[in-house]
Amino acid sequence: MWNEVLNKFLDGEDDINNADDNIKQEYVYYKRIISVIKLRTEYVPSQEGKRKFLNEIKRLKIMKRLKFVSVLGGIAAAFLILYFALFSPIPNPQINIAKKNLNAQNVQVMQLSEEEMKKLENLASVEQKEFEQTANNLELLQLINEGF
Amino acid sequence: MNKTKKTVVKNVDEHEFVKALKKGENWAYEKLYEDFAPLVGSIARSFLRQDDVEDIIQEVMIRVYKGIKKFRGDSKLSTWIHRIAVNVCKDALSRRKRRNEFLVSFTESDENDDKDTSYIAFTQEDVISEVLNEMNYKKILSALEKLSPENRLLIQLRDIEGLSYEEIAEIMNKPIGTVKSRLHYARKKLKELTEGGG
């Protein structure tokens, strides 16, 4: 019972001056216990601790900035690489090699197949025969003219 | 320049202070340490029953720095920092328990040691006992030792720092009713222990 009543005074719900003597005595006793505990737990932080904390904050800030700068640098580098890969005016040796390969392929395409070659040879031999015949005819005409 | 800032620092309102912390301004972090390190230190001393709490303070302050961007201002800054402090203390306590369990399993000779002669180093003992001669100072400290970390924390937050039940409920992530009843129990237990009971 005393506990409930005392708690009301300790919590400031009632004015201690309105309490009876027993409660007042208990109240004072408890307050003394608290004052001893307060003295026991009171803590005065050192200047060294403060300096250590502020240095740590400084270090963390620098780390944060470094992290930010490195991320930003990484992104910029990625963009540059992408840009030069896509829009670079500098001739790319690999592209030249590819072009050479393409030309070689075209040359191969220009080369005629065996069958076509035979056709061409046949055509040439026919033409040659006609040419020879014409030449013979001309030679005959020349002989006629010379009084054959 | 620095001097004017230092005089302004004391009167800056919480909204501006949080804004400066989010921007990472140096004066704000100086103020943060000056204002909250004693508070965090007291909580850690009370919760962990150890004198050297510098590492705990550092960890809390770094967590504040790393988490301040996520702080939306739904609660007071001090409540938020209290909550971080309590979490860091809980982590430290569980780490210490694990370490102690590990050590106990390897040192049989420690088994018979008095477990109650624990972590407190009585740096101010002589001074305080002179001032409060009529009270049994050692008995109070012994009673404090016997209280659970949660009960010590409740007494610390309510009776020493004077936080409201709402704030304590938010810090400890518990309903107000639970906080109230547990605090009442802790007070009763503390009183009984100082009177030689419990």
Side-chain angles (χ1 to χ4, degrees), chain A residues 2-3 6-7 10-13 26 29-46 48-50 52-54 56-57 60-61 64, chain B residues 24 26 29-30 33-34 37-38 42 45 51 53-54 57-58 61-62 65 69 120 124 132 134-135 137 141 155-156 158-160 165 184 187-188 190-191 194:
Chain A
W2 73 266
N3 199 29
L6 184 64
N7 275 318
L10 288 171
D11 286 337
E13 289 171 19
E26 293 282 356
Y29 182 72
Y30 185 79
K31 283 288 176 188
R32 279 188 170 178
I33 295 171
I34 292 300
S35 64
V36 172
I37 297 172
K38 191 177 179 179
L39 280 170
R40 177 68 198 84
T41 56
E42 210 166 44
Y43 190 74
V44 182
S46 63
E48 173 64 21
K50 185 180 170 183
K52 195 176 159 191
F53 168 64
L54 292 174
E56 184 61 17
I57 292 291
L60 287 172
K61 275 184 196 170
K64 210 171 165 182
Chain B
N26 281 339
Y29 282 94
E30 271 186 55
Y33 196 89
E34 279 167 15
S42 296
R45 278 185 114 179
D51 273 340
V53 290
E54 203 60 61
I57 294 173
Q58 293 290 326
M61 293 294 156
I62 296 298
Y65 171 77
K69 291 251 162 79
I120 291 182
Q124 295 171 303
L132 297 153
E134 75 275 21
M135 293 190 72
Y137 175 66
L141 291 182
I155 289 170
Q156 175 78 28
R158 178 67 185 163
D159 293 336
I160 296 175
Y165 281 115
H184 290 180
R187 281 170 176 168
K188 190 182 172 190
L190 178 65
K191 193 178 162 290
T194 54

